[in-house]
Amino acid sequence: MVLKQPLRPSQRLVVRDGEFPDVVRLGDPHSPWRDLYHLLITIPWIGFIPLMGLIYLAVNAAFAIAYLIGGNHIANATNGSFFDTFFFSVQTMASIGYGAMYPQTLYANWLVVIEAFVGLLFIAMVTGLSFTRFASPTARILFSHYAVVAPHNSIPTLMFRAANKRRNRILEAQIWLTLVRDEYTTEGEFFRRFYDLALTRSHTPLFALSWTAMHPITPSSPLYGETPDSLAAANAEIIVILTGIDETMSQTIHARHSFIADEILWNYRFADILGWTRDKRRAINFNCFDQVSPIR
């Protein structure tokens, strides 16, 4: 059977790629404009491109108004026409220079000098931001919707899947697994505790297809003696961090994921996804990537 992905709580310690935890920062006022570079690097392209376009139009509109101050400073432009001075500003900033309109006063020439300098800065900054956004190393790692707990060599084992969705290889891949849960000390103080979960294999020299990470639940494991109810009561969450070197770009990439208590299925197994094609080539069936079945 195939289980659908459950609804997730509104507040989580760790969230999926591209999202941010819903944490209220009391006593720490935050404005994205205080860290403008980080904002421009992290916002989606659908927001970045319109924002740059609005800034470009606003700067040209400001210079157009400046050209209108004090009379007709642009030759062959209609006196008092905002659109003529606006289009002249666009031509100046982009160094187009059609020649139909040109500055005819000292005031206008100085504005052209200032605008040319502003245009150079704007183009340089937008080019640098765009290159940084394109060049930032990213990973396309697919994680299973669920983790399962099932016997492996007669030992209860926590397992989940990861797969590289790109048609290349990740070198020196490593996985870190951490259990996070609520705890109280004997004095009644509340803590959010982190516990490392040891994997049977935490690194691989070559990650090309899929990887089933396994944590044996032995007496030394932080999960030993836990049940679905106890994990849910402690707001438990399992954090997954995967890092490696992208073979194509030779850059370090990383991916993160997390499983809450409702996403850990006890006494279930994953369906097999590896096989061979008719022409004897290794194949991975992503249609069964999240498919699980109960242990009978």
Side-chain angles (χ1 to χ4, degrees), residues 102-116:
Y102 56 90
Q104 61 181 0
T105 65
L106 181 62
Y107 172 79
N109 277 292
W110 277 113
L111 275 181
V112 167
V113 171
I114 296 173
E115 184 172 7

Side-chain angles (χ1 to χ4, degrees), residues 165-176:
K165 295 199 69 176
R166 287 202 173 108
R167 296 180 179 272
N168 68 349
R169 298 170 180 83
I170 298 176
L171 308 178
E172 301 178 15
Q174 299 185 62
I175 288 182
W176 283 268

Side-chain angles (χ1 to χ4, degrees), residues 9-25 30 38 192 237 239 256 258:
S10 59
Q11 292 188 345
R12 305 190 59 173
L13 179 66
V14 174
V15 292
R16 304 302 185 243
D17 286 344
E19 300 176 350
F20 296 92
D22 185 12
V23 178
V24 178
R25 296 174 177 267
H30 174 72
H38 186 266
R192 187 75 171 160
E237 186 172 4
I239 303 170
R256 54 186 167 88
S258 66

Side-chain angles (χ1 to χ4, degrees), residues 19-172:
E19 300 176 350
F20 296 92
D22 185 12
V23 178
V24 178
R25 296 174 177 267
L26 301 177
D28 181 23
H30 174 72
S31 171
W33 303 107
R34 295 182 179 181
D35 196 354
L36 187 58
Y37 176 75
H38 186 266
L39 173 66
L40 295 176
I41 291 298
T42 55
I43 62 174
W45 282 103
I46 196 172
F48 176 78
I49 294 176
L51 179 60
M52 293 298 102
L54 288 174
I55 294 175
Y56 179 77
L57 293 176
V59 171
N60 280 287
F63 276 101
I65 294 173
Y67 286 120
L68 289 174
I69 296 175
N72 186 16
H73 300 286
I74 308 301
N76 299 325
T78 303
N79 191 16
S81 172
F82 171 80
F83 286 105
D84 279 1
T85 55
F86 176 82
F87 293 130
F88 173 76
S89 174
V90 171
Q91 295 172 28
T92 301
M93 183 171 291
S95 301
I96 297 174
Y98 289 121
M101 293 185 288
Y102 56 90
Q104 61 181 0
T105 65
L106 181 62
Y107 172 79
N109 277 292
W110 277 113
L111 275 181
V112 167
V113 171
I114 296 173
E115 184 172 7
F117 180 69
V118 172
L120 287 173
L121 292 180
F122 182 79
I123 293 173
M125 287 189 292
V126 173
T127 302
L129 288 170
S130 300
F131 176 79
T132 301
R133 293 172 64 90
F134 273 113
S136 296
T138 58
R140 292 196 64 198
I141 303 298
L142 177 66
F143 292 96
S144 56
H145 290 326
Y146 295 92
V148 300
V149 176
H152 180 74
N153 291 332
S154 302
I155 299 175
T157 304
L158 173 74
M159 294 177 277
F160 65 90
R161 279 175 171 165
N164 181 19
K165 295 199 69 176
R166 287 202 173 108
R167 296 180 179 272
N168 68 349
R169 298 170 180 83
I170 298 176
L171 308 178
E172 301 178 15

Side-chain angles (χ1 to χ4, degrees), residues 233-288:
N235 293 318
E237 186 172 4
I238 294 178
I239 303 170
V240 183
I241 303 293
L242 189 151
T243 64
I245 301 174
D246 188 281
E247 183 183 45
T248 304
M249 299 180 293
S250 298
Q251 291 181 301
T252 300
I253 58 176
H254 73 277
R256 54 186 167 88
H257 194 80
S258 66
F259 300 98
I260 59 174
D262 291 343
E263 297 169 333
I264 302 174
L265 305 180
W266 297 70
N267 296 317
Y268 277 80
R269 290 191 185 279
F270 283 116
D272 191 15
I273 59 173
L274 293 179
W276 298 90
T277 63
R278 292 181 178 179
D279 55 354
K280 302 302 181 181
R281 292 187 299 169
R282 175 68 71 179
I284 177 171
N285 186 1
F286 283 102
N287 294 319
C288 302

